[in-house]
């Protein structure tokens, strides 16, 4: 049996960008933190291009030159700075120089001479739009538009005279705008009432339309075309009961790839526009049966790259020939010498909850020879978000637990995305604890499974999933053998008071407001019911977390410890919202495994 360190050394290659000469750039974590690498041929020897202790967060090839933009923060603080890398010279040039501000990449102009980005330099609670030359730096950037909310950019128009701007009021309420660079005028192109999403927006080939995934007049996301002259929408593809959750469109050729999220599994369609909403399909890429995304077309539209993984395939970059669908796996991220044949696949199950609703989940049992005669222990692993979804992608940590004889159960409780807008709103504000009832129903379902030991069930989760762990331990203390909370919310009031200023309104839209819902938020905060916790608790956090401040961990540990319950705390000074550096992950999860071995 391989040890934990081997499983955590299984590598990932992702975030691909295709360059002018067919070179593929991508991020890979071979050194322990994601760095920028390139390849000139499939399965060749990749060349490492950046050499930092901190994680690189994205890379984007210039459309005209052998150079890349990339982003990097410090210690997980999410204050991303932008850089330009000249491939042939190997030289890195800073593009921004404001370390106390966040910079969201907005893309290269088609000529490759300018970049755009959104940043909260002027006021930490709002984002403005900037444009600057490729060889300019810092204050050289032109402030094009002063925002009053959470703005981001979705690319330059085909003529490079406009930018596509997105505004996020909440996870389920978004807007699109067109910013005219010459005048600075901002056109609101998606006025609407209520909550509507306009996701994954892309410019149409002539710059006269925008293609996006929207739930306008629909419970699920559809691929639609917005005519900028008339303001009219037209459906390009209706995903039926499933979301069309992403589109990549090459605005020079009209070639596109879009994805449907079918019970968590990705289905990709490739095609070419033949009219405003008509398109001809091309052969489907041959990818692992799991998840895929991050499509990047090459400058000529002849090829595109994406990353794909499944529960038995670690994440790698594939390049697809557009016309033929020929699929080549370009990267060979290491599995650390662990045979992929030993990785376990989940079963997609549905279990009944308190209101007779069917809750989807992935249930994975260890190999037969790893199972105890009296039943296996189970880790109930709850995703964050809450506007997110557990999907069948690769996890080395999950595979390690399976190799140790644990089963893993991953529910998509109410509030998860992927199952329609109505399902996602079932946990809003005053209905928050209904999602915790779904976790109780999961344990009841597990207890009826002959392979499971109902006395050895663990609650584990990160971020909002960490709140769910704490809430499950306080609401249903008799169900759990132990809990593992990573960067979780212990008190909604202190969380909302201390989260990043740019995030507060966004989070209040989901959880409730400090002004209007404070009493309710106090009533559901696990910290205020910590005396009910009866199971041993492990708490992980990053000291630089801008989303869920580290005080959340410190509060719950102090309170549970005062009750005489076994509790362990591990805080990393060089991490943020999650544990990203390999040496920290090894230390963290070695401690978690030792903790579970003692208590479960």
């Amino acid at each position: 049996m391989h040890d934990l360190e081997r499983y955590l050394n299984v590598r990932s290659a992702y975030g691909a960008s295709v360059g002018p000469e067919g070179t593929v750039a991508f991020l890979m974590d071979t050194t322990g933190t994601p760095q920028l690498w390139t390849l000139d041929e499939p399965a060749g020897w990749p060349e490492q291009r950046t050499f930092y202790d901190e994680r690189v967060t994205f890379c984007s090839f210039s459309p005209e030159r052998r150079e890349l933009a990339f982003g990097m923060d410090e210690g997980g603080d999410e204050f991303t700075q932008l850089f330009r890398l000249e491939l042939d010279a190997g030289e890195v040039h800073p593009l921004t120089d404001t370390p106390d501000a966040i910079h969201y990449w907005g893309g290269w102009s088609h000529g490759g001479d300018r970049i755009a980005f959104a940043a909260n330099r002027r006021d930490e609670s709002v984002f403005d739009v900037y444009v600057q030359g490729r060889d300019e730096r810092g204050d050289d950037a032109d402030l094009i538009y002063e925002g009053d909310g959470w703005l981001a950019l979705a690319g330059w128009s085909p003529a490079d005279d406009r930018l596509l701007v997105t505004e996020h009021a909440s996870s389920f309420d978004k807007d699109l705008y067109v910013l005219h660079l010459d005048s600075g005028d901002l056109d609101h192109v998606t006025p609407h009432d209520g909550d509507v999403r306009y996701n994954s927006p892309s410019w149409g080939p002539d710059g006269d339309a925008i293609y996006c995934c929207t739930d306008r007049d629909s419970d699920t996301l559809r691929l639609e075309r917005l005519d900028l002259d008339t303001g009219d929408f037209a459906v390009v593809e209706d995903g039926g009961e499933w979301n069309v959750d992403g589109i990549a469109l090459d605005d020079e050729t009209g070639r596109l790839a879009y994805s449907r999220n079918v019970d968590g599994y990705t289905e990709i369609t490739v095609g070419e526009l033949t009219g405003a909403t008509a398109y001809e399909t091309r052969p489907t890429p041959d990818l692992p049966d799991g998840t895929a995304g991050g499509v990047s077309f090459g400058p000529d539209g002849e090829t595109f790259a994406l990353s794909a993984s499944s529960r038995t395939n670690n994440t790698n970059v594939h390049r697809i020939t557009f016309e033929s669908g020929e699929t080549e796996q370009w990267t060979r991220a290491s599995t650390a010498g662990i045979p992929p044949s030993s990785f376990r696949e989940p079963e997609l199950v549905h279990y009944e909850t308190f209101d007779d609703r069917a809750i989807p989940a992935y249930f994975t049992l260890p190999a037969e020879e790893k199972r105890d005669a009296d039943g296996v222990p189970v880790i109930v692993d709850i995703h964050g978000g809450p506007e997110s979804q557990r999907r069948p992608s690769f996890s080395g940590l999950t595979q390690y637990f399976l190799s140790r004889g644990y089963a893993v159960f991953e529910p998509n409780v109410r509030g998860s995305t992927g199952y329609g807008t109505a399902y996602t709103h079932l946990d809003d504000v005053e209905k928050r604890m209904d999602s915790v009832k779904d976790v109780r129903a999961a344990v009841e379902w597990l207890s009826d499974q002959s392979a499971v030991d109902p006395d050895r069930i663990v609650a584990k989760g990160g971020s909002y999933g960490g709140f769910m762990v704490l809430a499950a331990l306080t609401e249903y203390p008799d169900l759990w053998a132990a809990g593992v909370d990573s960067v979780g919310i212990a008190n909604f009031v202190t969380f909302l008071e201390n989260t990043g200023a740019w995030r507060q309104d966004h989070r209040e839209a989901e959880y409730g407001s400090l002004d209007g819902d404070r009493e309710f938020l106090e009533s559901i905060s696990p910290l205020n019911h910590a005396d009910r916790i009866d199971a041993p608790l492990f708490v992980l956090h990053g000291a630089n977390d801008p989303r869920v401040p580290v005080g959340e961990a410190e509060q719950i540990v102090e309170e549970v410890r005062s009750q005489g319950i076994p509790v362990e705390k591990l805080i990393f000074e060089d991490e943020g919202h999650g544990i990203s550096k390999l040496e920290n992950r090894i230390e963290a999860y070695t401690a978690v495994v030792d903790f579970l071995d003692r208590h479960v």
Side-chain angles (χ1 to χ4, degrees), residues 8-125:
L8 294 180
N9 268 288
V10 175
R11 306 304 191 185
S12 300
Y14 60 95
S17 182
V18 182
E21 297 174 5
T23 299
V24 176
F26 53 93
L27 306 183
M28 189 161 63
D29 55 0
T30 296
T31 63
T33 54
Q35 297 297 303
L36 200 162
W37 301 67
T38 61
L39 266 174
D40 291 315
E41 60 183 7
W45 190 263
E47 185 168 356
Q48 187 176 349
R49 299 293 190 165
T50 59
F51 302 86
Y52 300 105
D53 293 332
E54 303 294 350
R55 60 181 180 177
V56 174
T57 55
F58 78 90
C59 66
S60 176
F61 247 117
S62 164
E64 295 293 336
R65 300 174 179 86
R66 282 179 57 79
E67 62 183 16
L68 292 132
F70 69 91
M72 185 167 59
D73 67 1
E74 185 172 348
D77 64 6
E78 301 187 23
F79 287 81
T80 300
Q81 304 300 304
L82 306 179
F83 303 84
R84 177 172 62 88
L85 167 66
E86 293 183 49
L87 271 192
D88 295 331
E91 295 179 355
V92 173
H93 306 277
L95 291 167
T96 59
D97 191 18
T98 316
D100 57 350
I102 297 169
H103 298 82
Y104 293 137
W105 175 245
W108 293 93
S109 64
H110 289 72
D113 57 333
R114 291 179 291 169
I115 65 166
F117 58 87
N120 62 344
R121 294 177 176 182
R122 183 178 54 86
D123 178 338
E124 70 170 341
S125 65

Side-chain angles (χ1 to χ4, degrees), residues 46 237 271 305 593:
E237 188 62 43
V593 169

Side-chain angles (χ1 to χ4, degrees), residues 460-542:
K460 172 182 174 292
S463 188
Y464 175 78
F467 155 74
M468 291 289 284
V469 168
L470 298 175
L473 265 57
T474 57
E475 293 295 307
Y476 310 108
D478 57 328
L479 298 183
W480 307 102
V484 179
D485 157 32
S486 179
V487 299
I489 301 165
N491 184 324
F492 278 110
V493 172
T494 55
F495 157 68
L496 289 170
E497 288 175 339
N498 296 308
T499 193
W502 64 95
R503 304 184 73 252
Q504 183 175 331
D505 289 348
H506 192 268
R507 294 293 77 200
E508 286 190 336
E510 167 69 26
Y511 297 129
S513 71
L514 289 171
D515 289 340
D517 303 291
R518 182 181 289 261
E519 185 176 345
F520 171 73
L521 292 170
E522 291 279 15
S523 74
I524 66 167
S525 293
L527 182 68
N528 297 326
H529 308 289
D531 58 330
R532 300 178 188 169
I533 293 180
D534 196 37
L537 176 65
F538 196 105
V539 177
L540 277 172
H541 221 103

Side-chain angles (χ1 to χ4, degrees), residues 127-386:
F127 285 82
D128 303 326
V129 177
Y130 295 82
V131 169
Q132 77 179 59
R134 55 176 283 278
D135 56 357
E136 295 178 334
R137 174 178 178 176
D139 292 338
D140 295 335
D142 292 327
L143 173 56
I144 303 298
Y145 182 79
E146 291 190 359
D148 58 3
W150 192 337
L151 302 183
L153 299 176
W156 298 70
S157 65
D160 284 341
D161 60 342
R162 293 164 292 162
L163 288 169
L164 184 51
V165 179
T166 66
E167 182 176 30
H168 299 242
S170 73
S171 296
F172 273 74
D173 191 14
K174 303 178 182 179
D175 263 302
L176 301 181
Y177 299 82
V178 172
L179 176 59
H180 299 263
L181 296 182
D182 288 344
S183 65
D185 291 340
L186 191 72
D187 296 337
H188 185 193
V189 296
T190 55
H192 63 272
D193 295 322
D195 290 353
V196 180
R197 288 177 289 177
Y198 298 95
N199 290 348
S200 191
S202 297
W203 287 99
D206 298 319
D208 58 357
I210 294 168
Y211 291 79
C212 63
C213 301
T214 178
D215 53 3
R216 183 191 65 87
D217 300 330
S218 173
D219 184 54
T220 54
L221 293 167
R222 305 183 297 197
L223 176 55
E224 298 199 15
R225 176 186 187 270
L226 167 60
D227 188 305
L228 291 175
D229 290 331
T230 65
D232 294 334
F233 278 91
V235 176
V236 179
E237 188 62 43
D238 187 331
E241 65 177 309
W242 304 111
N243 286 329
V244 180
D245 60 354
I247 176 178
L249 174 61
D250 180 45
D251 63 25
E252 294 184 4
T253 63
R255 294 179 170 183
L256 57 86
Y258 68 81
S259 57
R260 284 174 79 227
N261 174 349
V262 180
D263 244 334
Y265 292 83
T266 301
E267 286 187 359
I268 289 184
T269 299
V270 178
E272 183 171 359
L273 291 172
T274 56
T277 59
Y279 62 95
E280 291 181 351
T281 59
R282 298 294 192 275
T284 301
D286 182 17
L287 297 168
D289 186 19
T291 61
V295 171
S296 169
F297 277 95
D300 57 8
E302 296 294 330
T303 62
F304 63 91
L306 51 70
S307 52
S309 86
S310 72
R311 282 300 165 87
T312 57
N313 293 270
N314 56 324
T315 307
N316 274 289
V317 172
H318 301 252
R319 198 177 79 163
I320 293 93
T321 302
F322 177 81
E323 288 292 349
S324 67
E326 179 185 358
T327 306
E328 296 178 292
Q329 183 177 321
W330 269 53
T331 62
R332 291 286 186 268
S334 171
T335 61
I338 303 171
S341 59
S342 69
F343 298 145
R344 302 286 295 171
E345 290 260 21
E347 177 188 0
L348 176 63
V349 301
H350 295 82
Y351 66 92
E352 191 173 290
T353 189
F354 68 95
D355 57 359
D356 299 327
R357 196 176 303 275
I359 305 297
Y362 300 103
F363 183 40
T364 316
L365 284 165
E368 288 279 358
E369 62 271 18
K370 303 287 185 182
R371 302 181 193 178
D372 293 344
D374 296 330
V376 297
V378 183
I379 295 171
V380 178
D381 193 353
I382 308 161
H383 69 71

